[in-house]
Amino acid sequence: MPVVDYKNYCKMLDRALENKFAYPAVNVSNVETANAVLEAFAKAKSDGIIQVSIGGGKHASGMVANSAIGAISLANHIHLMAEKYDINIALHTDHCTAANVEPFMKPLIEETKRRRAQGLPNLFNSHMFDGSDIPLEENIKISKELMALCAENEIILEVEAGVVGGEEDGVNNEDVAADKLFTTPEDMLMFEEALKDVGDRYMLAATFGNVHGVYKPGNVKLKPIILKEGQDALKAKHGEDANYYLVFHGGSGSTKEEIEETLEYGVIKMNIDTDTQYAFTRPVVEHMFKHYDEVLKVEGEVGNKKAYDPRAYLKKAQTGMAERVIEACNVLRSSGQTMGRQ
């Protein structure tokens, strides 16, 4: 099935690690953005990851304003649509802080548990716990508890060691101390020692100067070598076959060379949100400027229904976002790497 099961998700991650490419993990918040990502992965012949954040889920739920319900709604849409594509899709939730574990992550795990009892596939394949806003020891403690819960339901947990700077979807780290933006090998090993025996595998968002938000190339000083140092420390302690499945957050403004370097060190997933938000919105702005006298009933006129029909400009938005996701597939080397329908 195109929304992968646990076995095939693991296979996806292993293939990326072995072949030194990463999957674009793209945040969505409505049907159009979800369809844009599916379209892009299909055209790029790339398997991929579609993500829902707390804010994205809340938006999708409308005036209900419930992030978990909105995430369930988006996931069900993606499950249904993914069946029509010859690629493999994994569903993931992004940046769940400690304060949101109870209202967001755990209800989604419960929904997967309910589905599994009925013989249905998991709702989400993986969840991220973002413990960057609490002390490291508490972060690791909660990560271990959540990993045990995820493992029971064949869900992969993503954890974060260090802090991604900037602000995204309500997680604000704009004033964090500079040294917190760089994960140490010792921090990474602490997660390994705590989690290695709890479940089959986990993903680790290790930070190397990453910053969420919009920045021109060169404005963010990344040190990808930190990822290599962490991998080397792991191998030194647990053998040459040991590897972290690393995640790259806050990549907007990163150069192609910086991104490619992280792939050499074990990044298998790169989160994409800011750039695709712009790619979605830019065609809408162009449409409105070009057709302003048709979308507005200027001076008593009736306008042009074909111009202000939301389908007219949302289709352009979807196309614009899809093109940006294809670009990401090419940079991350996932284009043409699909395992095919599993």
Side-chain angles (χ1 to χ4, degrees):
M1 56 187 67
V3 173
V4 293
D5 57 16
Y6 180 75
K7 177 182 177 182
N8 283 305
Y9 194 19
C10 292
K11 189 185 296 185
M12 279 175 59
L13 302 183
D14 288 341
R15 288 188 73 250
L17 188 67
E18 180 181 353
N19 295 289
K20 298 186 183 236
F21 69 88
Y23 297 104
V26 188
N27 284 48
V28 302
S29 56
N30 55 26
V31 167
E32 285 77 19
T33 52
N35 288 347
V37 182
L38 289 167
E39 175 185 333
F41 287 151
K43 288 182 175 178
K45 294 181 171 56
S46 169
D47 299 328
I49 300 169
I50 299 180
Q51 304 190 147
V52 182
S53 67
I54 292 170
K58 184 176 181 180
H59 173 81
S61 73
M63 68 179 295
V64 173
N66 184 297
S67 297
I69 290 175
I72 291 170
S73 175
L74 285 171
N76 282 328
H77 171 77
I78 294 164
H79 273 272
L80 183 63
M81 291 298 107
E83 290 289 342
K84 306 301 180 182
Y85 293 86
D86 292 328
I87 51 170
N88 300 286
I89 298 297
L91 283 165
H92 178 80
T93 59
D94 193 23
H95 284 293
C96 180
T97 59
N100 287 290
V101 167
E102 292 296 331
F104 183 65
M105 187 187 297
K106 285 190 175 179
L108 297 180
I109 295 174
E110 280 299 312
E111 179 64 12
T112 280
K113 186 175 180 180
R114 184 189 68 80
R115 289 168 62 98
R116 289 168 64 85
Q118 297 177 353
L120 297 172
N122 284 17
L123 182 71
F124 283 90
N125 305 99
S126 51
H127 296 293
M128 181 195 180
F129 170 60
D130 180 356
S132 63
D133 62 340
I134 57 178
L136 181 61
E137 292 74 14
E138 186 180 355
N139 181 357
I140 292 173
K141 178 178 180 291
I142 296 174
S143 295
K144 187 173 182 178
E145 294 169 355
L146 290 174
M147 187 162 172
L149 184 60
C150 286
E152 291 174 5
N153 295 283
E154 294 189 325
I155 297 169
I156 295 176
L157 183 69
E158 177 186 333
V159 296
E160 182 166 319
V163 178
V164 178
E167 189 276 334
E168 181 183 51
D169 226 321
V171 179
N172 193 323
N173 292 320
E174 293 180 313
D175 298 322
V176 71
D179 63 313
K180 298 294 184 182
L181 301 178
F182 300 94
T183 304
T184 66
E186 291 75 20
D187 291 344
M188 294 171 72
L189 283 173
M190 286 178 68
F191 277 93
E192 172 66 9
E193 294 310 308
L195 302 180
K196 63 183 175 66
D197 296 325
V198 180
D200 182 50
R201 71 189 64 207
Y202 62 94
M203 294 184 283
L204 177 66
T207 59
F208 49 100
N210 328 42
V211 179
H212 286 133
V214 185
Y215 300 89
K216 292 182 179 180
N219 283 12
V220 176
K221 305 301 181 184
L222 297 179
K223 297 180 181 178
I225 194 67
I226 285 175
L227 302 179
K228 182 178 186 302
E229 291 169 353
Q231 294 282 24
D232 289 346
L234 180 68
K235 292 177 183 299
K237 187 162 187 178
H238 294 285
E240 283 300 311
D241 292 335
N243 283 287
Y244 292 112
Y245 295 88
L246 296 175
V247 180
F248 186 166
H249 286 252
S252 295
S254 303
T255 66
K256 183 174 183 289
E257 292 73 22
E258 288 170 332
I259 293 171
E260 288 177 341
E261 184 179 356
T262 69
L263 304 181
E264 297 298 317
Y265 303 150
V267 165
I268 47 82
K269 172 179 179 279
M270 181 174 177
N271 285 23
I272 301 172
D273 190 17
T274 301
D275 291 348
T276 46
Q277 287 176 346
Y278 179 79
F280 185 87
T281 301
R282 181 67 180 80
V284 177
V285 174
E286 182 177 358
H287 177 91
M288 296 304 172
F289 275 128
K290 186 175 180 179
H291 301 283
Y292 77 95
D293 56 341
E294 296 176 282
V295 298
L296 297 174
K297 296 184 179 182
V298 179
E299 296 180 354
E301 294 297 325
V302 296
N304 182 349
K305 184 179 184 301
K306 290 183 179 179
Y308 60 73
D309 183 337
R311 291 171 293 185
Y313 51 85
L314 290 176
K315 179 60 178 177
K316 295 175 182 178
Q318 182 175 317
T319 299
M321 182 170 171
E323 290 172 353
R324 181 60 184 85
V325 175
I326 291 171
E327 179 185 336
C329 292
N330 292 337
V331 172
L332 295 174
R333 307 174 186 163
S334 69
S335 295
Q337 293 281 358
T338 181
M339 299 188 303
R341 184 180 284 269
Q342 298 296 309

